[in-house]
Amino acid sequence: MAAVSNQLFTLGASGTFFSVSAEMKRPELFTRSLLCGQSFIVITNIAVSSIIYGKIGQYLASPALGSAGTLIKKISYGIALPGLIVTAVLWSHVAAKYWFVRILRGTPHLQSNTVVHWSVWIGSMLVTVVFGFIIVEVVPFFDNFLSLVGALVNPVFTNILPGFMLLYYLAKRPEKAAERIQNIDTEESISARRWLLEAFKTYRNGWKEVVVLSVAYFMILTGFLIIVGGTYATVLVIQASYDEGSVSGVFSCADSS
């Protein structure tokens, strides 16, 4: 289960999809871009991980570059460093944007070139980066930390929320944003009890609705299963690592691979 959580962390970027879609010049191309991007990531991840694990097996370190030997590891990290920096900036940007929009939503500063706008944006980035730095330095284990995040956080975005979104789609059949809906019954739209019941009743409409309904419930149930089982398994692995003395101290420069 810990391995499942680790893989879920690798592919669990669903939380960023809305942010990316909101900034696209042509949002109608989002689905096509999503399929291309995710297909490339999945194929690359399977191919690279299979080759590396086939060559190294149980001696595989985490991160995997730690298995390459001292010299090759240093060269590899030197080559990968620009990509790691870009990735860190990208994820910091995505996280900070949620803070930024939440703070300035409904104000004229959200899309205006004002002092408040830039102050909040820079502050959001600083808080995100500092918080992330403290977390990664305080946690003295890398692989198990990824598994823990993959078990606690990722199932919400990869399984549970998409499952509920499918149920909402079955119940409401929402129109595309490009069609500019003018009249929306807000109270009815946010009544979860109502649309969940309506979604369940759609099994009467035909086999297609039954399939979608089954997929939605399967995603939700597996999401909760991974949260409970994955967290429990990862905690046991972390406890075993402490018992073996293989965990270094906090804010340490020791090799955690």
Side-chain angles (χ1 to χ4, degrees):
M1 187 61 76
V4 172
S5 302
N6 210 335
Q7 291 299 316
L8 201 61
F9 179 88
T10 305
L11 302 174
S14 306
T16 66
F17 293 168
F18 301 104
S19 179
V20 173
S21 176
E23 295 186 0
M24 291 183 66
K25 186 176 182 179
R26 298 178 60 188
E28 65 272 12
L29 298 179
F30 172 73
T31 303
R32 184 190 306 175
S33 304
L34 175 64
L35 292 175
C36 293
Q38 287 296 95
S39 299
F40 176 78
I41 291 173
V42 171
I43 294 173
T44 304
N45 182 62
I46 293 176
V48 174
S49 59
S50 299
I51 293 173
I52 294 177
Y53 190 78
K55 295 293 184 180
I56 302 175
Q58 61 180 336
Y59 304 104
L60 178 65
S62 181
L65 292 178
S67 307
T70 304
L71 178 60
I72 301 300
K73 180 172 67 174
K74 292 180 179 179
I75 296 174
S76 300
Y77 273 117
I79 297 174
L81 185 59
L84 294 174
I85 294 175
V86 170
T87 302
V89 172
L90 175 63
W91 281 102
S92 300
H93 174 274
V94 171
K97 184 182 176 182
Y98 283 106
W99 292 65
F100 176 74
V101 174
R102 172 67 67 177
I103 294 172
L104 295 183
R105 176 176 294 165
T107 69
H109 301 288
L110 181 60
Q111 294 181 324
S112 301
N113 188 15
T114 62
V115 175
V116 175
H117 174 98
W118 286 106
S119 298
V120 174
W121 172 245
I122 294 174
S124 300
M125 283 293 294
L126 286 176
V127 170
T128 302
V129 172
V130 171
F131 178 76
F133 175 78
I134 293 175
I135 290 297
V136 298
E137 288 297 326
V138 167
V139 178
F141 38 80
F142 180 79
D143 190 38
N144 294 331
F145 177 66
L146 298 186
S147 298
L148 187 62
V149 174
L152 282 175
V153 180
N154 284 78
V156 177
F157 296 102
T158 59
N159 293 61
I160 297 175
L161 286 182
F164 280 111
M165 291 170 70
L166 281 176
L167 294 179
Y168 185 83
Y169 175 79
L170 286 175
K172 296 297 182 181
R173 300 288 182 177
E175 300 179 51
K176 294 182 179 180
E179 297 176 4
R180 299 183 180 276
I181 305 173
Q182 297 295 331
N183 299 317
I184 300 178
D185 188 344
T186 305
E187 183 178 355
E188 182 180 353
S189 298
I190 64 176
S191 178
R193 182 184 302 177
R194 181 176 300 178
W195 60 259
L196 283 173
L197 183 60
E198 292 177 1
F200 179 75
K201 293 179 179 179
T202 57
Y203 74 90
R204 306 169 182 171
N205 298 337
W207 66 271
K208 293 183 179 180
E209 282 73 12
V210 173
V211 172
V212 176
L213 193 63
S214 301
V215 170
Y217 282 123
F218 176 78
M219 293 176 65
I220 295 172
L221 291 176
T222 53
F224 283 111
L225 175 63
I226 294 173
I227 289 177
V228 177
T231 303
Y232 179 74
T234 304
V235 169
L236 291 181
V237 174
I238 294 174
Q239 183 179 3
S241 300
Y242 273 103
D243 294 339
E244 296 171 359
S246 58
V247 178
S248 60
V250 299
F251 288 95
S252 172
C253 294
D255 188 357
S256 61
S257 62

